[in-house]
Amino acid sequence: MRELTNREITVLEEQGCTAEDWCTVLVDEDFNTDTVRNVAFYGHVEIASLMGSIEVEEGFVRRCGIYNSTLRNVSISEGCLIENVRGYISNYDIGEKCYISDAGVIATQGTSNFGNGNIISVLNEGGDGNVVIYDGLTSQLAWLMLHNENIRNIAIKEANDHNPDGRGQIGDRTRICGAKEITNTVIGRGCEIQGVSRLSNTTIQSNDDASTFIGTDVIIDNTVVACGASVTDGAKISNCFIGESAHIGKGFSAESSLFFANSHMENGEACAAYCGPFAASHHKSTLLIGGMFSFYNAGSATNQSNHAYKMAPIHWGILERGAKTASGCHILWPAHIGAFSMAMGKIATHPDVRNLPFSYVIANNDKTYLVPGVNLRTVGTWRDVGKWPKRDHRHQSARRDIIDFAFPNPYIIQSVVDGKNTLKRLMEEQGENCDEYTYGNCHISKTALVRGIRLYDVAIRLFLHTVIPSLS
């Protein structure tokens, strides 16, 4: 880098450029004044080579340069095109071959953790913070944080180690077009930001193999977005973690929630929700609040209540892996529903049926009925099992969440074994001649109980038939 010559300063001024102090503007050895027009310089600015051209979109190649912009304490790497910045760019390091056009303010102000190290309250909305958001978070680590304060403290230290030196970063080959406000935000390589309304105190991870997309009218505050994710169409995100290849769009709003690998959220809203891999919600009237979900599909008008007993939003619940909610389902937390189960109706009895997977949990007036094991024989369950591996859009270089697609896996089959034993014990304790059994605040008809034992037994035999030959 070198200082500008007097001749170069004269030419730049003739081309509409100004500087607070020309001595603090440093340029590459091959600097060409033709590539800089109508630019105001403040503070320390470094400009690498602007020779050559850049592809601003497929098939559209333009000459590099800086035009109609204001720069303050900025370093610009080689091969960039920056134009029509209506506000200013301040305290940023801009990588190679970046395209920034029609932007408002892009600035780092004061001190910032760029979203790393924020502590949010997940599940227990009214409680103390229990999950640390940072750019190394995984679904497994988040679960451990919920149960172990020592893990949380380790994550806080790691998050602080990940924080940059206080300057904003824009990675190589990033495209920013039509952004209104970007403050205290770190942006990874190859990211595309198109028409965003606001990014504030946020880290957006991205790489050449798994680029991240942030779209029109999006607002993101105090959040970390992982590689390959997309946030589009007016989504509003605050104090969240958005995982690998997750998608948030169509006006979805989220507060203090986690969305891990391949989650897909549109139209509805979430608060204090833990959405594990492949959690999906598509409908405008859907609310996910204070719940833990994974491999989950929310029916339209699905919602939960975390204000049980009118004691503020401190209650929460779990829908185990593969569970679903039917349209209009309302669950009053606390509740714990088993894997691959279907919940229907307004469930207000706080069921705890984690040991009875593959069931229907059905509200009927002031009672909740359970049909154990019946989901084992539905085609939808087996279709879901086959579709999830095909919908894993993560690139190999951007896979942190550990996902086991095996079905049935040991965890699931153990719950099936527990379910069979639970039903047999109910029959022994409450009598073989009983017409209706009760368990976990649910009612089970004798017919459903007997059939459940048989279905669970079939599932166990199927697992053993599948696994034992592979071990020999």
Side-chain angles (χ1 to χ4, degrees), residues 212-214 225-226 228-232 242 245-249:
T212 300
F213 178 77
I214 311 296
V225 182
S230 59
V231 186
T232 64
I242 301 173
S245 296
H247 171 77
I248 314 287

Side-chain angles (χ1 to χ4, degrees), residues 230-430:
S230 59
V231 186
T232 64
D233 302 324
K236 295 175 176 56
I237 311 297
S238 178
N239 295 295
C240 291
F241 179 86
I242 301 173
E244 307 144 355
S245 296
H247 171 77
I248 314 287
K250 294 185 180 177
F252 192 89
S253 62
E255 168 76 27
S256 300
S257 295
L258 309 172
F259 305 94
F260 291 105
N262 297 295
S263 290
H264 192 110
M265 301 285 154
E266 293 183 339
N267 296 304
E269 56 184 312
C271 180
Y274 183 113
C275 297
F278 292 97
S281 174
H282 296 274
H283 306 285
K284 288 183 179 180
S285 53
T286 298
L287 166 66
L288 306 179
I289 186 166
M292 179 178 284
F293 316 88
S294 66
F295 294 82
Y296 164 73
N297 195 346
S300 62
T302 287
N303 64 92
Q304 304 87 41
S305 173
N306 57 357
H307 285 74
Y309 319 117
K310 302 188 183 299
M311 293 179 62
I314 60 175
H315 298 92
W316 52 277
I318 297 175
L319 273 67
E320 297 269 2
R321 174 176 177 149
K324 294 182 179 182
T325 46
S327 296
C329 176
H330 175 90
I331 304 175
L332 184 61
W333 299 137
H336 196 148
I337 294 174
F340 291 93
S341 294
M342 169 74 84
M344 297 174 249
K346 186 170 183 178
I347 300 171
T349 60
H350 310 297
D352 186 348
V353 289
R354 69 189 77 182
N355 289 337
L356 296 172
F358 298 96
S359 298
Y360 285 174
V361 184
I362 307 169
N364 186 5
N365 295 323
D366 60 345
K367 292 184 177 181
T368 302
Y369 289 89
L370 187 133
V371 186
V374 71
N375 237 359
L376 279 164
R377 67 182 192 183
T378 61
V379 67
T381 297
W382 301 95
R383 181 201 64 193
D384 289 345
V385 168
K387 78 183 181 185
W388 286 318
K390 299 175 183 177
R391 295 183 180 181
D392 190 351
H393 301 303
R394 299 174 299 164
H395 190 273
Q396 198 65 40
S397 65
R399 293 189 176 190
R400 291 199 301 260
D401 283 341
I402 301 171
I403 301 176
D404 181 5
F405 293 108
F407 183 85
N409 60 38
Y411 175 82
I412 296 297
I413 208 65
Q414 182 62 57
S415 70
V416 170
V417 172
D418 293 341
K420 179 182 176 182
N421 292 335
T422 297
L423 294 180
K424 293 177 71 175
R425 186 174 66 252
L426 282 177
M427 184 172 285
E428 292 172 0
E429 294 174 352
Q430 300 181 24

Side-chain angles (χ1 to χ4, degrees), residues 208-229:
D208 296 331
D209 298 320
S211 61
T212 300
F213 178 77
I214 311 296
T216 305
D217 297 331
V218 164
I219 295 175
I220 302 179
D221 299 316
N222 308 314
T223 291
V224 172
V225 182
C227 291

